Amino acid sequence: MIGSLMMCVSVVILLAGMLAGIVMGAQQNFVLAPAHAHLNLVGGVLLFLFGLYYRVIPAAGRMTLARIQGWLHIVGAVLFPAGIALVLLNGPAYTAAPIVGSLIVIAAMALFVIVVFRTRAA
Ligand code: HEM
């Protein structure tokens, strides 16, 4: 089920994001703080909440739209922070990566809006 997969990916991302936070603190180098924040919030918190919705409302989790939304969000939630990190480390030549990542995330968000409205009575 897509909800369980999303929650499993989310907790792994959160563990990695928190470890990255510890490394940032230990090195006193906060250049990657925005990438850390987006990884934890978009890839960790949001992904977990979406997955939880699909688990709590199985009718939503069974929708094809939910599977598309889940996979889109997983891809975007990794590409977006990775893109932010690329730009922060290497400069604006890599701007396409966070732009594509953010567009994928917002497309997934739009699908989630449809899923929630369609299952509001479930
Ligand atoms: C072991 C856990 C964590 C550690 C050690 C950690 C560490 C850090 C550090 C060192 C910074 C940079 C602070 C600075 O710029 O002065 C930071 C920023 C931030 N962290 Fe974490 N963090 C952790 C978990 C999380 C989690 C779970 C979230 C969100 C769900 C989060 C969200 C943020 C945000 C929003 C910022 C601000 C980013 C910015 O200013 O651009 N962090 N964190």
Side-chain angles (χ1 to χ4, degrees):
M1 192 209 196
I2 190 67
S4 312
L5 174 76
M6 291 166 80
M7 290 166 87
C8 287
V9 174
S10 154
V11 290
V12 173
I13 285 179
L14 269 175
L15 183 61
M18 287 179 177
L19 284 171
I22 289 178
V23 171
M24 277 196 309
Q27 296 180 343
Q28 289 293 292
N29 180 349
F30 307 116
V31 171
L32 290 178
H36 156 85
H38 284 82
L39 184 67
N40 281 338
L41 290 167
V42 180
V45 178
L46 273 187
L47 189 60
F48 195 88
L49 283 177
F50 293 158
L52 193 61
Y53 184 81
Y54 294 144
R55 289 284 297 272
V56 170
I57 301 176
R62 281 193 296 269
M63 290 169 72
T64 304
L65 208 54
R67 277 199 293 278
I68 298 169
Q69 192 273 335
W71 276 109
L72 260 186
H73 190 90
I74 288 172
V75 171
V78 174
L79 184 60
F80 185 25
I84 293 173
L86 264 180
V87 171
L88 291 171
L89 295 175
N90 302 299
Y94 294 87
T95 310
I99 289 176
V100 171
S102 61
L103 289 176
I104 292 174
V105 168
I106 201 159
M109 187 63 226
L111 293 186
F112 192 67
V113 169
I114 298 172
V115 170
V116 170
F117 273 75
R118 280 198 187 160
T119 53
R120 64 188 180 280

